[in-house]
Amino acid sequence: MPLAVYVLGLSVFALGTSEFMIAGLLQPIARDMSVSIPQAGLLVSAFAVGMVIGAPVLAGATLRLPRRTTLVALLAVFGAGQMAGALAPTYEVLFASRVVSALACAGFWAVGAAVAVSLAPAGAKAKAMAVMIGGLSVANVLGVPAGALLGQHAGWRAAFWAVALLAAVGVAGVLALVPPTQPPTGADRPVLRRELRIYRSGQVWLALVITALNAAATFCLFSYLSPLLTDTAGLDEGWVPTVLALYGVGALIGAALGGRVGDAHLFGAMYAGLAATTAVLALLALTAHLPVAAVGLALGLGVTSFFTAPAINARMFEVAGAAPTLAGATTTSAFNIGNTIGPWVGGLVITAGWGYTGVAWVSALLAAAAVGATVAAARWHRRTAASRVVAGSPADAAADGSARVTEAAG
């Protein structure tokens, strides 16, 4: 794997730390801003909304711009958003800073994913995406727990300043190690109208649904993991960074395994990961009052949810391969649609008085729905592959090459 792909993954570490660290800062932010825990949880959704909007808009707007220049500019805007959040005098300003940061993060992820896939060797798209997703995993292992520790000992604003510094390091890394690239010219130049044609495909929309449901299931629970640990499991607040780090370790393991399995058995990885996520969430709903079970299942949720992610991302690039930039943007939007819906639904469950175990049950239902959507996608894939074989043309056979890799897993 080219070194540049790992540099992009390291840049994603800074972005992921900002996106997820709110889960470990809910209580101090709520106290400082005089808002409820569900309102503080909406800061996760604010970031996700910005990602949903920003990914396709910025992917289209930067389609013909130099890739490295675009990545550097987006990281700079992201860092400025983090500084605005650190200085925010009110909840409303903090909310707005999250949206601005997310817009830049979305653009970086969409462009960076396309660059990573283009630089990866043949047959290693899921591995390239695993490296990118690994940046999110490392953010959970190191960034989120560190943010929680900073929030407890130096104030939650210190966590935002730390992420701004990470963004500056990311800018330096991209400038130094990502090769300067220009968009193709002539007949191969990117054309937005042509790339938009991917949205005529039902398989693209089904891949979007699977991605969104997986994210919603994960972040419905993860956004409220901190109060679940303290209020339901009875752990001291000082345990929260440790448990978040365990979740991140699980995410790192899951992404590494999922990247390897996903290239060989794409649908098999999706089935296994989503089914395991459903089981883990249901078990957590049943045993959340037991501290040992809550800690162990938090680790398990990191493994299962991130095991699925590389295959889900690779599936989107498979069905939308004619538009790699918008494929990355669509995946980002789908992920963050789920990341928006999940915390919002979790907040509704808490407000309704069902408690944090109710959040776990709803999360399990969302994961089960993702399994059902994967079954539908696999059947559609088999029918499409069979029709190409029957057609028997050389072009159809070439187009079906990657499909045969996943046929056995379907």
Side-chain angles (χ1 to χ4, degrees):
M1 193 67 63
L3 182 60
V5 176
Y6 291 99
V7 171
L8 293 171
L10 288 173
S11 298
V12 169
F13 166 72
L15 308 179
T17 298
S18 176
E19 182 169 9
F20 302 134
M21 70 181 182
I22 296 298
L25 300 173
L26 284 182
Q27 287 101 325
I29 289 177
R31 288 193 294 265
D32 188 40
M33 293 292 182
S34 300
V35 297
S36 66
I37 291 291
Q39 282 179 297
L42 286 177
L43 292 171
V44 178
S45 294
F47 200 97
V49 167
M51 292 280 282
V52 170
I53 297 170
V57 171
L58 287 171
T62 63
L63 199 60
R64 299 187 184 181
L65 297 179
R67 305 288 84 186
R68 187 175 70 173
T69 302
T70 301
L71 293 173
V72 169
L74 291 169
L75 274 176
V77 173
F78 170 81
Q82 295 304 295
M83 291 188 284
L87 297 170
T90 65
Y91 174 81
E92 290 75 18
V93 174
L94 179 59
F95 192 97
S97 75
R98 295 285 291 169
V99 175
V100 170
S101 295
L103 290 171
C105 179
F108 184 93
W109 179 265
V111 176
V115 171
V117 168
S118 70
L119 294 174
K125 289 183 179 180
K127 289 189 181 73
M129 292 309 304
V131 172
M132 295 284 286
I133 294 164
L136 297 181
S137 305
V138 175
N140 282 287
V141 174
L142 299 177
V144 175
L149 282 173
L150 279 173
Q152 291 174 6
H153 299 290
W156 62 267
R157 296 176 189 274
F160 280 78
W161 284 116
V163 174
L165 180 60
L166 287 175
V169 173
V171 168
V174 171
L175 283 172
L177 296 170
V178 174
T181 57
Q182 296 289 339
T185 58
D188 294 330
R189 75 185 188 281
V191 178
L192 183 59
R193 184 181 301 174
R194 185 168 59 222
E195 292 218 1
L196 286 171
R197 291 174 187 167
I198 65 169
Y199 297 120
R200 298 176 184 175
S201 169
Q203 295 194 63
V204 168
W205 287 101
L206 190 52
L208 185 152
V209 168
I210 295 169
T211 304
L213 285 172
N214 180 57
T218 300
F219 292 102
C220 181
L221 188 283
F222 181 76
S223 298
Y224 300 99
L225 181 58
S226 174
L228 180 145
L229 293 170
T230 56
D231 296 359
T232 304
L235 292 170
D236 185 83
E237 194 170 318
W239 273 92
V240 170
T242 301
V243 179
L244 291 175
L246 286 174
Y247 173 90
V249 169
L252 190 60
I253 294 170
L257 293 175
R260 293 181 178 275
V261 176
D263 276 320
H265 306 286
L266 192 147
F267 280 111
M270 292 169 66
Y271 281 136
L274 290 169
T277 297
T278 304
V280 166
L281 289 166
L283 284 172
L284 185 59
L286 292 170
T287 62
H289 61 286
L290 302 174
V292 174
V295 171
L297 290 169
L299 170 65
L301 181 61
V303 173
T304 61
S305 59
F306 278 78
F307 177 87
T308 312
I312 288 177
N313 279 267
R315 174 61 179 165
M316 183 65 79
F317 277 94
E318 181 181 73
V319 297
T325 303
L326 282 187
T330 300
T331 303
T332 301
S333 290
F335 176 84
N336 285 283
I337 286 171
N339 201 2
T340 303
I341 293 172
W344 175 68
V345 170
L348 291 179
V349 170
I350 296 167
T351 302
W354 296 350
Y356 299 112
T357 55
V359 173
W361 280 121
V362 171
S363 298
L365 289 174
L366 290 168
V371 174
T374 301
V375 172
R379 289 178 176 175
W380 194 339
H381 172 79
R382 284 197 298 269
R383 288 196 301 270
T384 302
S387 67
R388 285 174 177 164
V389 171
V390 170
S393 71
D396 289 332
D400 193 46
S402 63
R404 282 196 273 257
V405 174
T406 58
E407 181 65 20

